[in-house]
Amino acid sequence: MQDLVRAIEAQRPRKFLRDLLNRLRFGAEGPLSDMAVFPDPVRGTEGFFWPGGPKLRRHSSGLVLDGDWDLNRSPVQEGFKFTSCHMHWVEGADWEETPVFRDLMAKLERGEAPDGCRSVEEIKERYSRLDRIFSETRQRGRLLRMHELPDAYYRREHGATFVHLARDGTCLRSGGGNHRFAIARILELPEIPAQLGVVHPLAIRDGHLARLRRSRFDA
């Protein structure tokens, strides 16, 4: 039953059809929905925005989309979540001093449950877990894949840091997995396991997707 609910949430039936069409169109090099890619979080990733464009979220994973949508880019450092992580892990600020913590507190006061947290104690525990992940990742030298996590999602890399693939091979951040991305970038990891979003067809033609689907840790 749980797998059925997750399949509906992830729009798996639609993605199954998309995968089939991509394989017919592109062969073995075609993208799969929710597949893993491994961009460089420091030099191979930028931010993505598309004012007035359609919402390209996780349900769009594996979609091949032509046009100039991938030219809408911004620096990734501008997000307040990344700024908060940098303040805490690099500058030594307490989480309570960061914009992200203050934002969560404001949502609690409005009666919301941000990130599933319903109390100050749950927010503090969430960020204590992030501190543990940061420390373990620094020692390990890489972020764990989704299937390696204790609460692993059931399908490929669904739930990981979400990126679209531009024509030139640049991965464009588009929400989801913000803290994992901040950890990888701050620690200057060689790669980050990410969930593939929308793909520009030129990225397939020029071999960028084929390159990014291989992890150097699997070599």
Side-chain angles (χ1 to χ4, degrees), residues 40-53:
D40 182 331
V42 179
R43 287 167 290 275
T45 313
E46 297 183 27
F48 174 74
F49 72 102
W50 193 358

Side-chain angles (χ1 to χ4, degrees), residues 158-173:
H158 187 98
T161 297
F162 190 59
V163 298
H164 304 307
L165 183 56
R167 68 190 70 192
D168 61 355
T170 300
C171 285
L172 308 177
R173 289 276 296 110

Side-chain angles (χ1 to χ4, degrees), residues 7 18 22 46 48 52 65 70 82 85 91 104 108 124 127 130 133 143 145 147 149 180 201 219:
R18 183 181 298 153
N22 284 345
E46 297 183 27
F48 174 74
L65 185 62
D70 61 323
F82 182 88
C85 291
E91 301 171 21
L104 294 175
L108 272 184
K124 289 182 177 180
Y127 281 86
L130 285 173
I133 292 171
L143 275 166
R145 298 278 304 276
H147 69 270
L149 301 178
R180 284 171 59 88

